[in-house]
Amino acid sequence: MIVMKFGGSSVADATCMREVAALVTEALPAAPLVVLSATAKTTDTLFQAARTAEAGDLAGAVELQRGLMLRHRGIAQDLFPQGVPPALDQALAELGDELDLLLRGVALLHELSPRSMDAIASIGERLSTRIFAAHLGSVWVDARTVVRTDGVHGNAQPAFKELTALARQHLAPNLGAGRAVVTQGYIGATASGLTTTLGRGGSDYSAALYGAALGAADIQIWTDVEGVLTCDPRVVPEAQPIAELSFAEAAELAAFGAKVLHPATIQPAVEAGIPVTVRHTRRPHGRFTTITAAVITGRPVTALAQRGPITVLTVTSAHMLNQSGFLASLFQVFSRHKISVDLIATAEVSVSLTVDADAPLDALLEDLAAFATVGIARDRAIVAIVGERLKLTPGVTGRCFGAMRDINIEMISMGANEINLSFVVRQEDAKPALRALHAALFEAGSEARS
Ligand code: ADP
Ligand code: ASP
Ligand code: MG
């Protein structure tokens, strides 16, 4: 079997859904499991409706709910000009009622727990897949019967063993050459049946999990770009598709903000040794990226990515001098507060580290104040240069620094075994930095790709 995952823009409207149906039909001999995101902007709208309800504005929330349902009904009517089949009509009505009820509950209590948010967010994928499965005339499976997760709402972790057993039970019997099975990305459920989500952009992760659980031959991520490009094309229009990428490079790019893949996607695929391909739904026979374990040689720099805003903490203490165990006790504080650190640079009496902008810092800072002074720089961004052979290729780092000559670099990180060189800059400098780096490393006259 294969997994075909289509993102929100690929199922935005009836025209898009017809295109996707044609691609799935073409792939029927390969026994496709079709994993869909919510239609474009739907998850954002559901979040907005939930927050509107939380603020007590029930009328505003219900208006958003109605708009969403109208849009989905419109897609269904467009796909079924002779009349929406009663089963689909009823499924849509039930989802609309469920959303309405959830929003009323939130508005009544002025309380939006992560658990309620997940229940509300799940409506998006359930709507898109109901419509698409009806259009294709294929089996629809509720991902919540398969994707068993822990109870960390909003960012749930899958329980892979249970998930595999459930996938064999609920998905495998329906899969086979000549037919497709349609299910949702992004959503799952706890053992007690509470709806969870895998975090924003999590449908890619779902696709990899299904693929690994079912031993797929290929995990295909269909989106709105011709694969993974040398940089986000919205920032650098000159960005070029990359034909082959190693798992390590892809994981690094995703972790450093290349939105084209959810950061956790790669891991189940690596463990199962399944190639992941990233393809353009509108240009199915165009260029695409294959991500495999093989290390690609001869290319010092593969791609650029940025992540921001992030916050830089600089911890300074005279105790660091000649004292063993200082870093250990410092990181214990971070671990106690469950705050994850991305980049680190140390000097004689100070350590700089980066954390997510929304990390809860107050309590952490209080604990740190006990043994060090802490400087905080907010609204920073990480600009990452990723390549398997980066550190082996003389002259590349020089070219990177040359490109950054007009930009103030506040922190640098490049580990001995790392395949990325990262700069921390002010958030507003991130885009100019990417453009300058891209021009120096990938565009005409640059030798970096030789
Ligand atoms: P989907 O809805 O299909 O999951 P996303 O919007 O999540 O699509 O991801 C695709 C988008 O990722 C692209 O439109 C592009 O703007 C962005 N992106 C960021 N970095 C890269 C990159 N290096 N290569 C390709 N796309 C990238
Ligand atoms: N629909 C979800 C989101 O927008 C998941 C996804 O598209 O991957 O975050
Ligand atoms: Mg995505």
Side-chain angles (χ1 to χ4, degrees):
M1 55 87 59
I2 60 167
V3 175
M4 303 178 85
K5 177 260 168 176
F6 295 88
S9 58
S10 301
V11 290
D13 53 28
T15 309
C16 294
M17 287 214 187
R18 281 197 193 92
E19 284 170 6
V20 169
L23 287 173
V24 172
T25 305
E26 202 179 311
L28 280 181
L33 171 66
V34 180
V35 179
L36 298 189
S37 290
T39 64
K41 309 248 164 58
T42 293
T43 310
D44 286 344
T45 305
L46 289 166
F47 270 70
Q48 196 193 340
R51 297 210 170 104
T52 306
E54 184 189 22
D57 178 6
L58 179 62
V62 168
E63 198 182 309
L64 287 165
Q65 182 261 3
R66 295 218 170 110
L68 197 74
M69 292 313 299
L70 270 177
R71 186 153 60 76
H72 283 86
R73 283 208 168 277
I75 297 175
Q77 280 155 3
D78 197 332
L79 290 172
F80 293 98
Q82 320 286 25
V84 176
L88 174 59
D89 196 54
Q90 193 186 336
L92 295 181
E94 281 171 11
L95 286 166
D97 290 347
E98 185 177 331
L99 177 56
D100 186 76
L101 203 60
L102 286 163
L103 292 172
R104 280 176 200 279
V106 169
L108 207 58
L109 296 169
H110 286 232
E111 183 187 72
L112 178 62
S113 65
R115 185 194 288 193
S116 314
M117 190 61 250
D118 275 354
I120 291 169
S122 77
I123 302 284
E125 269 70 8
R126 290 158 66 201
L127 282 169
S128 65
T129 50
R130 280 289 188 192
I131 297 171
F132 184 76
H135 173 57
L136 203 62
S138 58
V139 175
W140 178 92
V141 174
D142 191 328
R144 295 171 301 173
T145 61
V146 177
V147 181
R148 173 66 51 79
T149 71
D150 65 13
V152 182
H153 289 279
N155 191 25
Q157 296 306 311
F160 190 66
K161 233 173 94 190
E162 285 91 332
L163 187 156
T164 302
L166 292 166
R168 290 197 181 131
Q169 189 184 337
H170 297 290
L171 290 171
N174 293 307
L175 285 162
R179 54 180 196 262
V181 176
V182 176
T183 192
Q184 306 83 52
Y186 182 51
I187 70 172
T190 63
S192 56
L194 292 172
T195 301
T196 54
T197 63
L198 303 177
R200 293 304 308 269
S203 295
D204 302 331
Y205 192 16
S206 305
L209 290 166
Y210 291 123
L214 295 165
D218 188 6
I219 297 166
Q220 305 178 352
I221 307 290
W222 291 85
T223 182
D224 60 355
V225 278
E226 281 178 304
V228 181
L229 312 186
T230 49
C231 192
D232 186 340
R234 281 182 288 207
V235 180
V236 178
E238 295 79 12
Q240 289 298 314
I242 303 164
E244 284 184 297
L245 206 57
S246 72
F247 280 132
E249 288 173 325
E252 205 77 2
L253 282 172
F256 282 99
K259 191 192 165 201
V260 64
L261 278 180
H262 182 282
T265 305
I266 295 301
Q267 174 236 328
V270 177
E271 277 164 23
I274 303 169
V276 177
T277 54
V278 182
R279 301 158 189 259
H280 197 321
T281 308
R282 288 271 164 98
R283 290 180 214 148
H285 303 294
R287 294 179 288 183
F288 63 96
T289 299
T290 305
I291 307 170
T292 54
V295 175
I296 295 102
T297 55
R299 183 178 62 194
V301 178
T302 300
L304 310 174
Q306 65 150 331
R307 204 171 90 198
I310 52 123
T311 298
V312 180
L313 301 179
T314 301
V315 181
T316 309
S317 169
H319 297 304
M320 267 183 87
L321 271 176
N322 301 326
Q323 187 156 332
S324 62
F326 181 86
L327 287 177
S329 45
L330 175 67
F331 285 113
Q332 246 164 28
V333 183
F334 282 84
S335 141
R336 208 162 49 239
H337 291 280
K338 296 198 166 59
I339 293 180
S340 95
V341 171
D342 288 314
L343 298 182
I344 308 161
T346 62
E348 197 58 36
V349 293
S350 71
V351 187
S352 295
L353 10 91
T354 68
V355 296
D356 267 353
D358 55 7
L361 291 183
D362 290 347
L364 174 98
L365 292 175
E366 220 168 273
D367 280 6
L368 286 178
F371 67 112
T373 37
V374 185
I376 307 175
R378 296 186 197 274
D379 296 321
R380 300 311 197 254
I382 298 173
V383 171
I385 302 149
V386 174
E388 287 272 7
R389 291 172 55 84
L390 191 61
K391 62 177 186 292
L392 303 173
T393 314
V396 182
T397 43
R399 215 192 322 255
C400 295
F401 282 103
M404 297 288 285
R405 68 187 151 262
D406 297 326
I407 293 161
N408 194 23
I409 302 172
E410 300 191 354
M411 189 173 151
I412 299 169
S413 167
M414 182 174 180
N417 287 317
E418 296 289 336
I419 59 164
N420 90 64
L421 166 62
S422 304
F423 297 125
V424 174
V425 298
R426 286 177 179 278
Q427 174 84 38
E428 65 266 27
D429 286 340
K431 284 182 183 172
L434 285 176
R435 291 191 192 111
L437 286 165
H438 198 274
L441 297 169
F442 296 102
E443 292 164 34
S446 92
E447 298 141 50
R449 305 197 76 196
S450 59

